[in-house]
């Protein structure tokens, strides 16, 4: 088991954003996380990546407890994430934004990308389709290109677990389709993915399993078809168009 979540709870005074959540994530899975606004989805990602410390509960990575580790120590354990709004060095080039994430002291006998920082930056930029724009300043990029920079920065740390927070938000159909194919390719390399998303067609297409959060609680879990036909999920979130998201 790659990741185990045991009774995870996060409360902000009287507001319980994540409530006694239990979850297992196997190596190589693509786990989709859906739910209405305020359901606790991003808070959950923040807890796994170390940007928040839970009120109670445990997070285990390959059996090792990482519940209170700081974000940079989780990166060293090969967990990386993106953000809803791209966090880039706007005055630096695309290459420099990605290269910064490549320089660390870790050496792995095995990995998805080269240990050499320069080679790794090139590999990642080519994978996300930004090699031709490597010299362009990040502040000059389109919204879609910034999304790809976010993913490239995360991949540059050579993660085993990649957390994607609404990667399809604000994209047009062609961009969504292209990014879907990229995420599938990343997963086919052996990288486990957890993805929070409101663009249901994209999420249901790429996820092997989906969980549904409402008011911080998991109300459903299963394949995209199972979740999209669950009456609790339809009532709480998907509505009458749920059948459009099911795939056979």
């Amino acid at each position: 088991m790659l990741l185990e979540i045991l009774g995870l709870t996060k409360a902000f005074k009287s507001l319980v954003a994540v409530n006694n959540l239990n979850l297992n994530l196997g190596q190589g899975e693509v786990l989709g996380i859906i739910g209405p606004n305020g359901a606790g989805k991003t808070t959950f990602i923040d807890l796994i990546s170390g940007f928040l410390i839970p009120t109670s509960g445990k997070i285990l990575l390959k059996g090792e407890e990482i519940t209170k580790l700081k974000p940079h120590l989780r990166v060293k354990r090969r967990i990386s994430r993106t953000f809803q709004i791209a966090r880039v060095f706007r005055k630096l080039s695309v290459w420099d934004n990605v290269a910064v994430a490549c320089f660390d002291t870790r050496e792995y006998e095995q990995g998805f990308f080269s240990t050499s920082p320069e080679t790794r930056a090139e590999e990642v930029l080519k994978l996300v389709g930004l090699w031709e724009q490597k010299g362009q300043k990040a502040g000059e990029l389109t919204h879609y290109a910034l999304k790809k920079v976010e993913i490239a920065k995360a991949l540059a740390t050579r993660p085993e677990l990649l957390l994607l927070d609404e990667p399809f938000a604000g994209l047009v159909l062609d961009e969504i389709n292209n990014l879907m194919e990229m995420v599938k390719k990343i997963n086919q390399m052996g990288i486990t993915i957890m993805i929070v998303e409101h663009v249901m067609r994209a999420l249901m297409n790429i996820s092997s399993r989906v969980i549904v959060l409402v008011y911080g609680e998991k109300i459903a879990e299963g394949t995209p078809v199972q979740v999209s036909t669950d009456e609790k999920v339809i009532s709480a979130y998907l509505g009458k168009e749920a059948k459009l998201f099911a795939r056979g």
Side-chain angles (χ1 to χ4, degrees), residues 62-80:
K62 294 182 176 179
E64 175 192 3
E65 185 172 356
I66 62 168
T67 310
K68 296 184 179 180
L69 286 185
K70 294 185 180 299
H72 72 280
L73 295 177
R74 301 195 195 200
V75 172
K76 288 182 179 294
R77 284 161 176 78
R78 304 182 78 172
I79 297 176
S80 194

Side-chain angles (χ1 to χ4, degrees), residues 105-171:
T105 59
R106 298 172 299 157
E107 294 291 336
Y108 301 124
E109 292 182 2
Q110 296 181 342
F112 307 111
F113 300 100
S114 300
T115 55
S116 163
E118 293 81 5
T119 304
R120 195 191 320 169
E122 180 178 344
E123 289 173 346
V124 169
L125 286 170
K126 287 180 176 178
L127 175 64
V128 302
L130 287 175
W131 180 246
E132 299 301 323
Q133 295 172 271
K134 62 183 182 294
Q136 190 172 351
K137 287 185 178 180
E140 299 171 350
L141 297 176
T142 64
H143 178 67
Y144 176 47
L146 284 173
K147 291 278 189 180
K148 294 196 288 185
V149 172
E150 271 288 283
I151 294 173
K153 286 166 52 190
L155 290 175
T157 67
R158 305 176 82 222
E160 285 188 88
L161 174 58
L162 177 62
L163 311 173
L164 301 176
D165 196 356
E166 297 196 27
F168 303 108
L171 302 182

Side-chain angles (χ1 to χ4, degrees), residues 24 36 59 63 99 120 185 188 210 242:
N24 290 330
I59 303 171
R120 195 191 320 169
K185 185 174 182 180
Q188 288 166 1
V210 177

Side-chain angles (χ1 to χ4, degrees), residues 71-242:
H72 72 280
L73 295 177
R74 301 195 195 200
V75 172
K76 288 182 179 294
R77 284 161 176 78
R78 304 182 78 172
I79 297 176
S80 194
R81 68 167 295 177
T82 66
F83 295 87
Q84 293 179 20
I85 300 175
R87 299 188 179 187
V88 299
F89 299 105
R90 301 186 69 83
K91 294 184 178 180
L92 296 183
S93 68
V94 171
W95 169 270
D96 287 339
N97 268 273
V98 176
V100 165
C102 292
F103 284 90
D104 55 46
T105 59
R106 298 172 299 157
E107 294 291 336
Y108 301 124
E109 292 182 2
Q110 296 181 342
F112 307 111
F113 300 100
S114 300
T115 55
S116 163
E118 293 81 5
T119 304
R120 195 191 320 169
E122 180 178 344
E123 289 173 346
V124 169
L125 286 170
K126 287 180 176 178
L127 175 64
V128 302
L130 287 175
W131 180 246
E132 299 301 323
Q133 295 172 271
K134 62 183 182 294
Q136 190 172 351
K137 287 185 178 180
E140 299 171 350
L141 297 176
T142 64
H143 178 67
Y144 176 47
L146 284 173
K147 291 278 189 180
K148 294 196 288 185
V149 172
E150 271 288 283
I151 294 173
K153 286 166 52 190
L155 290 175
T157 67
R158 305 176 82 222
E160 285 188 88
L161 174 58
L162 177 62
L163 311 173
L164 301 176
D165 196 356
E166 297 196 27
F168 303 108
L171 302 182
V172 300
L173 183 58
D174 285 347
E175 294 169 342
I176 289 172
N177 289 336
N178 289 336
L179 196 57
M180 279 172 47
E181 293 307 311
M182 184 196 304
V183 172
K184 289 178 182 179
K185 185 174 182 180
I186 291 168
N187 178 243
Q188 288 166 1
M189 296 169 61
I191 298 174
T192 305
I193 297 173
M194 185 180 293
I195 178 169
V196 168
E197 189 53 69
H198 283 290
V199 181
M200 289 296 99
R201 289 181 181 276
L203 183 134
M204 294 297 191
N205 184 275
I206 62 179
S207 299
S208 52
R209 182 161 54 107
V210 177
I211 67 169
V212 186
L213 299 182
V214 175
Y215 297 119
E217 296 185 0
K218 182 172 66 174
I219 67 165
E221 177 178 358
T223 67
V225 171
Q226 290 170 335
V227 166
S228 63
T229 55
D230 188 301
E231 291 299 329
K232 297 191 302 295
V233 179
I234 294 171
S235 175
Y237 182 52
L238 293 180
K240 296 179 180 179
E241 295 184 355

Side-chain angles (χ1 to χ4, degrees), residues 1-3 23-27 29 31 161 192 194 209:
M1 191 61 59
L2 179 63
L3 189 73
L23 178 71
N24 290 330
L25 182 64
Q27 187 78 47
E29 278 195 84
L31 177 69
L161 174 58
T192 305
M194 185 180 293
R209 182 161 54 107

